[in-house]
Amino acid sequence: MHNLAELPASPLLNEMRLDGFAFAPADTMRPLLASSGGLSDWSDFAESWNQLAPDQYLAAKGRARRRRHATFSAAAHGVVTTEPHQPHFQSLQYNALQGDIERWFEPITEAVVHGETLRSILDFCHAFFGSLAPTVARWHIEVHQFRIEATASAAGEPTPEGSHRDGVDYVLVLLVNRRNIASGTTTIHAPDGRLLGDFTLTHPLDAALIHDPSVFHGVTPVLPLVADEPAFRDVLVVTFRAAPAADR
């Protein structure tokens, strides 16, 4: 695992400890990910968002969201390991729209799972979040590819559940691409609703890092800039949660 104190992550670690969140622009994230392995397959990685499957759990509500999902695990001083495909589950406490149900999404493709870019992202998260929580023995890790689509008649809703927590320990939201959209501003709130910060992920590799128990987060709806052209926001979301003792 990298010594993050020697990398540009050190100020981010301090922000996370102090504020519970940090915004990392692409110029900061790129060398961090490069030091974790590299981004040689970035073009194929980004292109894979064109093969995401519709989110059937939101279809009835008319919100256009496409996604794929994968699960991993890692011991504190071990490597990140792929786990068998499994459902995504959140309690109603954390997701009032779709809580307390097992949601099965199409798996992230093998090419993406084993590609250099995703492995670099996961290795960075492992080192970064592990530095913030050195007593965690093993991590349960989930990865989500999201595409939020917008049309002239319907805004795209990156977080249809509103300002929320995910019920994990740490979250990375990494922008992969955005096309023909306005807004999509990430907002960070205190548990009492006070706005603590906001920023818009605009360039590929712009990232939000969040300590989920400390703050709530949300994203404002996206609207097309040109009404009759495709409009979407592509992000990768990675969550780290301390694994229950029974899973270690």
Side-chain angles (χ1 to χ4, degrees):
M1 201 177 293
H2 302 290
N3 180 1
L4 293 176
E6 298 175 357
L7 297 171
S10 183
L12 296 177
L13 289 169
N14 292 336
E15 287 183 59
M16 289 287 286
R17 292 185 180 110
L18 181 64
D19 302 325
F21 71 96
F23 167 63
D27 288 347
T28 297
M29 287 300 299
R30 189 173 290 106
L32 290 172
L33 296 177
S35 71
S36 295
L39 303 168
S40 65
D41 64 339
W42 174 264
S43 294
D44 291 339
F45 176 77
E47 196 279 333
S48 72
W49 264 255
N50 293 321
Q51 280 78 53
L52 301 191
D55 184 343
Q56 301 295 340
Y57 298 91
L58 278 181
K61 298 178 174 61
R63 299 183 174 101
R65 180 162 75 175
R66 298 177 181 273
R67 67 192 295 177
R68 286 182 182 267
H69 172 254
T71 305
F72 302 81
S73 65
H77 301 290
V79 297
V80 177
T81 301
T82 308
E83 293 292 333
H85 189 52
Q86 54 195 267
H88 176 53
F89 180 86
Q90 291 174 295
S91 70
L92 280 171
Q93 176 185 358
Y94 295 106
N95 191 330
L97 284 179
Q98 300 164 327
D100 286 355
I101 59 172
E102 291 188 344
R103 287 183 285 165
W104 287 92
F105 300 109
E106 290 297 313
I108 295 177
T109 65
E110 290 293 308
V112 172
V113 164
H114 298 292
E116 184 178 74
T117 293
L118 184 58
R119 287 293 161 171
S120 297
I121 293 168
L122 290 174
D123 286 347
F124 162 74
C125 289
H126 188 203
F128 187 84
F129 297 143
S131 294
L132 292 167
T135 62
V136 172
R138 188 170 187 85
W139 295 102
H140 173 85
I141 304 163
E142 295 191 46
V143 176
H144 308 259
Q145 291 179 290
F146 286 105
R147 169 169 285 181
I148 304 301
E149 299 171 327
T151 65
S153 59
E157 298 183 62
T159 53
E161 64 271 47
S163 182
H164 66 285
R165 291 185 295 157
D166 289 334
V168 297
D169 292 304
Y170 296 99
V171 182
L172 166 77
V173 182
L174 184 79
L175 185 72
V176 174
N177 191 20
R178 56 184 286 151
R179 177 177 176 182
N180 187 35
I181 58 168
S183 194
T185 298
T186 299
T187 60
I188 306 293
H189 298 264
D192 64 6
R194 287 179 297 114
L195 180 67
L196 299 177
D198 61 80
F199 40 84
T200 303
L201 307 181
T202 56
H203 301 99
L205 296 178
D206 281 356
L209 297 150
I210 299 163
H211 181 230
D212 194 63
S214 297
V215 297
F216 285 66
H217 63 280
V219 183
T220 60
V222 297
L223 297 165
L225 294 169
V226 179
D228 57 350
E229 294 185 6
F232 55 82
R233 178 180 186 264
D234 292 348
V235 298
L236 183 81
V237 174
V238 180
T239 65
F240 271 58
R241 174 173 56 85
D247 295 343
R248 296 174 190 168

